[in-house]
């Protein structure tokens, strides 16, 4: 088995290798003077089971092109199999024609990955599970819920908990969290006015006097979470926490978060958290062990459902 990484999340790739007890594969991944991606795989991969780690996080187009070009370089070097390990799958929110004349970019990216050379995909908390259907190659889908659960067990919150989905689309995810956290469930009925702003219409479920944990797959502008937290406060929730798998964290989100009713937000390291986005309100938990275990099982041709069986139902 050989594990390579692009530049998008070297820290996570190194942690995964550490759990696997192997070193990171040698590759040059840089840029030519005109900005084009320059790649050279610097060791023999012929006949090997290769894993390439690269989230397509911001700068998404740079990281996506890197991923595609490394896949191409690997494919031409005759490995037995290439698994693209994509801890955060960008463009996933563009997964349907919800307006006239818009692209389905998630499907385009799935096609690009396959053409570039991926034989299988390993990813985490896709924006919508249905994106799996855009691939005609095997895809293994991991869930971060147990990693969050471990964190919340460690900080020992009192158990008057309600798990809250900040929108109707997140109900399935929130239900799985509520089951694991042994909490009740509530849903915020949100309307999105624009890509940057949302408005809360109603809260479905009992939140008064409870500690609320908002759960979501992505925090980008923060608008969904901050507005949901405000609505929860008005509905007399006690403390408000959030766990979100992918900290995309676009401009201004840190200030918004600091000014919000959210006590703290837990994200994973599927996307690296740059220094300028660090905040006392943000805690990071690692999904490296989860990915390492999945990679090991895929390599050994073992089932990986043990990692998430109790979560899907
Ligand atoms: C929406 O359907 C997603 O699950 C997230 O709620 C959304 O992408 C978060 O975006 P933002 O932080 O910009 O509100």
């Amino acid at each position: 088995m050989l594990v390579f990484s692009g530049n998008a999340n070297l820290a996570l790739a190194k942690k995964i290798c550490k759990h696997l007890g192997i070193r990171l594969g040698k590759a040059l991944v840089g840029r030519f003077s005109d900005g084009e991606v320059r790649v050279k795989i610097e060791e023999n991969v012929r006949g090997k089971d290769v894993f390439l780690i690269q989230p397509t996080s911001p700068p998404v187009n740079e990281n996506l092109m890197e991923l595609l070009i490394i896949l191409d370089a690997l494919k031409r070097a005759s490995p037995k199999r290439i698994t693209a390990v994509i801890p955060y799958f960008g463009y996933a929110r563009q997964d349907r024609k919800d307006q006239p004349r818009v692209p389905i970019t998630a499907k385009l990216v799935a096609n690009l990955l396959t053409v570039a050379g991926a034989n299988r995909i390993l990813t985490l908390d896709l924006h919508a599970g249905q994106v799996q259907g855009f691939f005609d190659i095997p895809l293994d889908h991991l869930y971060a819920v147990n990693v969050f659960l471990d964190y919340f067990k460690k900080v020992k919150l009192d158990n008057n908990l309600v798990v809250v989905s900040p929108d109707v689309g997140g109900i399935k995810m929130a239900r799985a969290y509520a089951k694991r956290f042994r909490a009740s469930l509530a849903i915020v009925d949100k309307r999105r006015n624009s890509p940057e702003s949302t408005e809360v219409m109603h809260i479905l479920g009992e939140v008064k006097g409870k500690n609320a944990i908002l759960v979501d797959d992505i925090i980008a502008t923060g608008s969904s979470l901050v507005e949901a937290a405000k609505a929860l406060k008005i509905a007399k929730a006690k403390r408000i926490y959030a766990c979100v798998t992918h900290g995309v964290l676009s401009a201004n989100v840190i200030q918004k978060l600091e000014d919000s009713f959210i006590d703290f937000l837990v994200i994973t390291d599927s996307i690296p958290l740059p220094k300028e986005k660090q905040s006392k309100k943000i805690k990071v938990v690692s999904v490296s062990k989860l990915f390492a275990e999945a990679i090991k099982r895929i390599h050994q041709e073992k089932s990986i459902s043990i990692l998430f069986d109790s979560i899907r139902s």
Side-chain angles (χ1 to χ4, degrees):
M1 180 202 328
L2 271 171
V3 175
F4 290 92
S5 176
N7 290 312
N9 199 344
L10 267 170
L12 176 64
K14 285 180 184 162
K15 276 191 195 166
I16 292 173
C17 285
K18 205 167 168 200
H19 288 299
L20 289 168
I22 60 173
R23 62 165 179 78
L24 196 58
K26 288 191 193 124
L28 178 151
V29 183
R31 296 291 181 274
F32 289 104
S33 60
D34 58 359
E36 289 179 358
V37 177
R38 178 180 172 208
V39 170
K40 182 167 177 8
I41 307 300
E42 292 184 315
E43 60 184 293
N44 179 23
V45 299
R46 204 171 276 270
K48 297 272 168 46
D49 191 14
V50 170
F51 294 83
L52 168 59
I53 299 167
Q54 175 89 332
T56 49
S57 47
V60 55
N61 297 332
E62 283 292 316
N63 289 334
L64 176 60
M65 274 316 282
E66 249 187 29
L67 172 59
L68 296 172
I69 293 169
I70 305 170
L71 281 172
D72 187 73
L74 286 168
K75 174 181 75 181
R76 292 172 195 282
S78 310
K80 183 174 87 189
R81 177 173 67 178
I82 310 171
T83 302
V85 181
I86 310 175
Y88 167 67
F89 185 84
Y91 280 120
R93 286 177 287 179
Q94 296 185 43
D95 61 354
R96 65 198 178 284
K97 273 192 79 173
D98 56 353
Q99 298 167 48
R101 298 176 297 283
V102 294
I104 304 183
T105 319
K107 170 66 179 158
L108 172 65
V109 172
N111 287 344
L112 289 171
L113 289 166
T114 312
V115 169
N119 302 118
R120 60 186 304 137
I121 306 288
L122 174 62
T123 189
L124 173 75
D125 282 339
L126 280 168
H127 172 62
Q130 298 89 301
V131 170
Q132 294 177 48
F134 292 170
F135 289 90
D136 286 325
I137 53 175
L139 182 149
D140 290 306
H141 188 197
L142 302 175
Y143 302 85
V145 59
N146 286 337
V147 181
F148 287 124
L149 186 64
D150 287 348
Y151 178 83
F152 278 95
K153 270 187 190 155
K154 245 194 281 165
V155 296
K156 294 198 178 105
L157 302 178
D158 84 44
N159 55 9
N160 189 15
L161 288 178
V162 56
V163 166
V164 184
S165 171
D167 56 36
V168 175
I171 295 177
K172 223 177 147 198
M173 181 178 189
R175 197 185 294 130
Y177 276 65
K179 187 176 155 196
R180 306 288 299 162
F181 281 73
R182 296 180 197 283
S184 57
L185 180 64
I187 295 140
V188 171
D189 177 19
K190 139 190 129 178
R191 299 278 186 279
R192 190 171 276 285
N193 303 323
S194 74
E196 294 79 31
S197 97
T198 59
E199 187 188 347
V200 169
M201 310 304 282
H202 309 98
I203 295 176
L204 314 172
E206 192 50 63
V207 299
K208 191 173 169 187
K210 296 193 175 204
N211 292 316
I213 305 183
L214 282 157
V215 302
D216 211 346
D217 57 327
I218 297 170
I219 173 166
T221 64
S223 179
S224 306
L225 279 193
V226 167
E227 290 302 315
K230 197 157 102 193
L232 289 171
K233 205 63 190 176
I234 293 169
K236 298 200 165 37
K238 248 162 88 186
R239 315 277 310 253
I240 301 164
Y241 313 101
C243 44
V244 179
T245 310
H246 308 294
V248 173
L249 302 174
S250 320
N252 295 336
V253 64
I254 303 304
Q255 196 54 51
K256 254 199 232 170
L257 187 69
E258 285 180 356
D259 297 341
S260 77
F261 291 108
I262 298 170
D263 283 68
F264 63 77
L265 159 72
V266 193
I267 57 173
T268 77
D269 56 355
S270 65
I271 297 173
L273 181 66
K275 265 216 170 85
E276 66 277 10
K277 289 188 179 160
Q278 288 175 5
S279 150
K280 267 192 277 176
K281 281 200 175 183
I282 301 183
K283 325 278 171 198
V284 183
V285 291
S286 184
V287 285
S288 55
K289 216 168 151 191
L290 179 65
F291 272 103
E293 187 59 31
I295 288 172
K296 195 170 83 192
R297 286 175 172 270
I298 291 168
H299 175 65
Q300 295 171 342
E301 310 284 357
K302 280 190 184 157
S303 166
I304 69 157
S305 62
I306 192 169
L307 302 175
F308 52 72
D309 250 2
S310 55
I311 295 159
R312 274 194 300 201
S313 52

